[in-house]
Amino acid sequence: MSLFRRQPTPPPDDADRAVRELLDRYHHRASIPDGADRMIIEPGQVLENFTSVMERLDVDIDTPVGVGDAASFEEVMGIIQMGMGSFLATHLVNTAMQIMSARYPQELVRTPLPEQYDLRKQVPALTFSDEQHESARRIFNQRTRAAADLDADDVVEVWEPLTDEDQVQVCTALFFMYGNKIGALKFRTGIK
């Protein structure tokens, strides 16, 4: 028998749970709503979520993943509106190169996407404008040709003229270009 009876812990409300998840380094939550049209975003977690999804795609090309498995539209737009979109774009291509370089022959990994490459023909559901598609292809190829990781300053020429909506689309295109190239590398090499 105990002198003190333990009080049952009341179930946490959604806001408390969301805050705990956001603060938990091992949880994938990257944002919580803060009012009607505001959001608190943990940009580092968004980057980690993209890395995790990209690694998962390399391990199993048939896994049904998309950009939404890494970040919501609102999270990506929030990062862009914070002026960190170029960091996200370079993170995507740097992570892509790191993953591809670890498993596939360098001569294939470093082959740039050719001028006639059009992701929209391979994935008709994607509706990028020509400018958005070409901007993504240029950034992807810039990293493919570079000896070291890109940083945000390396893509300013391509990135600066883009609107916020264009930047979201370019990040989406970069993610899909990575998946498309991983699929091609697996097919060409037979590496599962």
Side-chain angles (χ1 to χ4, degrees):
M1 183 192 263
S2 172
L3 293 175
F4 300 99
R5 186 174 350 149
R6 194 169 213 191
Q7 292 294 328
T9 306
D13 68 355
D14 288 343
D16 288 343
R17 181 175 46 82
V19 169
R20 280 197 308 282
E21 290 172 356
L22 185 66
L23 296 174
D24 183 350
R25 300 180 337 160
Y26 301 106
H27 198 281
H28 66 276
R29 180 180 283 277
S31 66
I32 53 175
D34 182 32
D37 61 346
R38 293 178 27 182
M39 178 181 283
I40 297 170
I41 300 174
E42 174 55 54
Q45 187 62 52
V46 172
L47 300 181
E48 285 295 319
N49 290 349
F50 270 106
T51 299
S52 176
V53 170
M54 292 170 77
E55 289 170 344
R56 192 169 20 158
L57 189 57
D58 179 45
V59 170
D60 181 7
I61 193 66
D62 295 322
T63 192
V65 298
V67 174
D69 293 302
S72 68
F73 172 82
E74 293 80 12
E75 289 168 342
V76 173
M77 181 58 85
I79 286 176
I80 287 166
Q81 289 174 339
M82 286 189 280
M84 298 177 64
S86 57
F87 290 100
L88 176 57
T90 56
H91 175 77
L92 290 169
V93 294
N94 291 335
T95 301
M97 187 58 100
Q98 178 186 10
I99 292 169
M100 293 185 299
S101 294
R103 293 186 63 181
Y104 306 99
Q106 286 301 299
E107 64 273 9
L108 297 176
V109 169
R110 295 210 168 270
T111 300
L113 302 172
E115 276 192 45
Q116 68 273 18
Y117 172 81
D118 192 338
L119 179 64
R120 299 166 293 187
K121 289 180 181 172
Q122 296 175 30
V123 186
L126 300 175
T127 57
F128 307 120
S129 71
D130 289 342
E131 178 187 23
Q132 293 163 350
H133 188 276
E134 181 58 19
S135 296
R137 192 182 73 82
R138 284 180 60 196
I139 292 169
F140 197 93
N141 285 346
Q142 185 176 351
R143 177 57 187 101
T144 300
R145 292 182 183 109
D149 283 350
L150 300 179
D151 62 32
D153 293 336
D154 294 327
V155 298
V156 167
E157 182 181 319
V158 175
W159 198 256
E160 287 295 315
L162 301 171
T163 66
D164 289 353
E165 292 77 18
D166 289 336
Q167 291 177 16
V168 170
Q169 293 299 325
V170 168
C171 288
T172 302
L174 289 170
F175 178 84
F176 276 94
M177 286 175 178
Y178 160 76
N180 195 245
K181 185 150 183 172
I182 283 288
L185 290 170
K186 286 181 179 297
F187 178 78
R188 177 83 183 269
T189 63
I191 295 172
K192 296 285 179 183

